[in-house]
Amino acid sequence: MKKILSLMLLCATILFVSCKDDNETADSVSVDGVKLDKSTLSIAVGTSETLTATITPDNATNKNVSWQSSNTATATVDATGKVTAVAAGTTNITVTTEDGAKTDVCAVTVSGGPKYMIYGAKGDNLVFYDGTEIKPIAGFTSYGNYIKSCAQIGNDFYGLASDKHTILKNGVSCNDADKVPQNSSYKFYSIYASGTSLYVNGEDENGKATVWKDGQSMLSVDLGTSRFSEICVLGNDVFAYYSKYDVQTRISTYYVYKNNTLIYNAPDYRIEDMKVCGDKVYMTMTVSNSNNIFRYIYDGSTMTPDTNGGTQNLTVDDFIYFGYSGSSMYAIVKDPFGKYALYKGNIWNTSPKSVITPPASTKYFNIYYVGEYNNDVYEYGAYNVPDTDDPTKFNHKQAYGWKNSADPFRLPIDTINGVAHISQ
């Protein structure tokens, strides 16, 4: 009798739980639709705005949604509906409900800001990105290859490939005799643009350090086994520097040429960078076995230390970038905590213009380029993000841009070798 009663009680319990589950399923509310707060959106390059999705009915059980941009080269959207403008153009932002796959669309128009061209890498290929389309560079994979030097002339963007022979124009091999030296035995190390002319730094068939202007040799010096590291142009003059190591003293001496004339040598100093800004040539230098970094100026006749501030206590690794855009001088310095400080003007006696802090979930953050456009400063760089399959590994890079060090916008490539801004 007890066994029968126990069996009856068990069946009643099962029946009660089953009815409860059925009632809960019956009480779930399906999604009827989703509506965005905006059907159209106009934003400027480098800015962001968040869209809001409202699901009906309000008491729907599953309110999860996903977001997608039809053209990530123009604008991206994250999991919260935040739309970030990347480049001028149009795109559709679509929100989709997890329950029932209901959708709504916002048409986004991006305007303003610079149009940019980028050399870099995407997946297995070196690529040229014109702001709209990613174009693989023929003959170059991203394995062991890169664009080592870039130069802009108007709306054309030149790049020197790491094979030391190929010069690209807008992503395509350039064989224009009025721009590129025509000899397969030449080796090229860097390129530079001034006005409408392209300058190529390399060595000729006899091993002489040579600079070509629009395909014609204009500077040729026998440096033995040394070669010019970098060149720049001020007016009609070409400036170039190289280093020579003395095995007995273990000291590297850096030499600076103006055209075919040696104008300066710096024993036990290291030239980190050389740029033209306004009517002067600026060299950023470091002292061996020291944390000091300082700048020299060539004013057209003499090379003198920068009188605006002396030295700065920075390690060589801290100094990331030195250059100019328009008439403004820029420098990027990395602090011990991984933050990147952007200086405009004199790095020695001014506070940083802005600071970029890398996201906590990333590694190996680098800034590669600074450019000025309509009084706004754009910075471009990349960092490694966690792998999808193994979040403990950081093997994949993502390229980003920042406007005035804020509101990062993702670029549809992995790494950056060079950036050019052109007018819209």
Side-chain angles (χ1 to χ4, degrees):
M1 185 67 179
K2 288 183 178 181
K3 290 184 178 180
I4 294 175
L5 289 173
S6 298
L7 182 60
M8 292 176 63
L9 181 59
L10 177 61
C11 291
T13 301
I14 293 174
L15 180 61
F16 174 79
V17 172
S18 177
C19 290
K20 183 179 179 181
D21 289 343
D22 288 344
N23 288 335
E24 285 183 346
T25 302
D27 289 342
S28 66
V29 180
S30 299
V31 171
D32 290 336
V34 62
K35 185 71 175 178
L36 292 173
D37 59 331
K38 293 181 176 69
S39 59
T40 61
L41 175 64
S42 296
I43 52 177
V45 168
T47 63
S48 300
E49 188 163 335
T50 300
L51 296 174
T52 301
T54 301
I55 290 177
T56 55
D58 184 59
N59 62 338
T61 303
N62 182 354
K63 292 187 176 183
N64 294 332
V65 297
S66 59
W67 299 84
Q68 185 176 17
S69 171
S70 63
N71 183 4
T72 55
T74 293
T76 61
V77 62
D78 67 12
T80 67
K82 181 180 179 181
V83 179
T84 301
V86 177
T90 60
T91 185
N92 289 327
I93 302 298
T94 302
V95 61
T96 304
T97 64
E98 186 176 282
D99 178 15
K102 307 297 184 181
T103 63
D104 196 17
V105 178
C106 176
V108 176
T109 300
V110 177
S111 61
K115 176 177 170 57
Y116 48 76
M117 299 180 289
I118 300 177
Y119 283 109
K122 174 73 173 178
D124 295 337
N125 297 304
L126 288 188
V127 298
F128 174 75
Y129 176 50
D130 63 5
T132 302
E133 183 181 358
I134 300 173
K135 304 173 183 178
I137 297 173
F140 291 92
T141 67
S142 58
Y143 298 101
N145 297 303
Y146 59 96
I147 304 301
K148 62 182 300 179
S149 181
C150 298
Q152 179 184 2
I153 300 177
N155 288 344
D156 293 322
F157 196 29
Y158 293 84
L160 170 62
S162 54
D163 67 354
K164 300 179 183 178
H165 294 288
T166 304
I167 294 179
L168 305 162
K169 177 182 177 182
N170 300 332
V172 179
S173 182
C174 178
N175 295 310
D176 298 342
D178 60 346
K179 292 297 179 191
V180 178
Q182 302 294 302
N183 190 319
S184 60
S185 63
Y186 295 164
K187 293 181 180 179
F188 306 138
Y189 300 112
S190 65
I191 58 178
Y192 187 92
S194 179
T196 60
S197 295
L198 182 69
Y199 294 79
V200 180
N201 163 39
E203 64 177 276
D204 65 13
E205 71 276 17
N206 298 314
K208 284 188 175 182
T210 305
V211 177
W212 293 268
K213 176 185 178 182
D214 293 332
Q216 303 300 314
S217 173
M218 65 170 300
L219 188 163
S220 183
V221 182
D222 188 353
L223 302 179
T225 58
S226 298
R227 299 292 177 263
F228 290 129
S229 300
E230 189 175 358
I231 63 172
C232 65
V233 178
L234 179 61
N236 295 318
D237 297 319
V238 175
F239 294 80
Y241 74 84
Y242 76 98
S243 65
K244 187 175 182 179
Y245 180 73
D246 189 316
V247 294
Q248 294 182 337
T249 63
R250 297 183 180 180
I251 292 176
S252 290
T253 300
Y254 280 72
Y255 300 88
V256 181
Y257 272 80
K258 176 184 177 182
N259 300 321
N260 286 290
T261 303
L262 178 66
I263 62 170
Y264 185 76
N265 68 78
D268 211 24
Y269 294 158
R270 176 183 175 89
I271 299 177
E272 300 291 339
D273 212 339
M274 180 171 68
K275 291 288 191 297
V276 171
C277 187
D279 60 352
K280 295 179 176 63
V281 176
Y282 292 82
M283 291 192 305
T284 302
M285 307 173 72
T286 53
V287 183
S288 297
N289 302 316
S290 168
N291 288 336
N292 289 332
I293 185 168
F294 59 95
R295 191 166 66 194
Y296 266 62
I297 301 174
Y298 185 80
D299 61 6
S301 60
T302 58
M303 190 78 70
T304 57
D306 186 350
T307 59
N308 288 326
T311 61
Q312 174 75 302
N313 187 28
L314 301 169
T315 65
V316 175
D317 289 341
D318 287 332
F319 187 80
I320 306 300
Y321 176 93
F322 169 70
Y324 76 98
S325 180
S327 60
S328 300
M329 188 84 65
Y330 289 97
I332 296 178
V333 175
K334 181 180 180 182
D335 70 14
F337 304 102
K339 296 181 180 180
Y340 282 72
L342 172 67
Y343 289 82
K344 180 178 181 180
N346 197 313
I347 181 177
W348 289 271
N349 52 18
T350 59
S351 299
K353 178 178 175 64
S354 55
V355 176
I356 295 177
T357 302
S361 60
T362 64
K363 286 187 177 182
Y364 316 122
F365 176 41
N366 285 295
I367 298 292
Y368 300 112
Y369 175 83
V370 177
E372 195 177 67
Y373 186 85
N374 286 348
N375 298 319
D376 290 312
V377 179
Y378 290 83
E379 300 156 83
Y380 297 89
Y383 41 67
N384 288 42
V385 296
D387 291 358
T388 303
D389 298 330
D390 187 351
T392 65
K393 295 181 179 179
F394 295 78
N395 295 320
H396 181 68
K397 284 185 177 291
Q398 286 182 355
Y400 278 81
W402 292 261
K403 180 181 178 182
N404 299 323
S405 298
D407 294 327
F409 51 92
R410 182 177 176 180
L411 298 165
I413 58 176
D414 301 332
T415 61
I416 296 174
N417 295 146
V419 181
H421 281 168
I422 64 175
S423 299
Q424 293 284 46

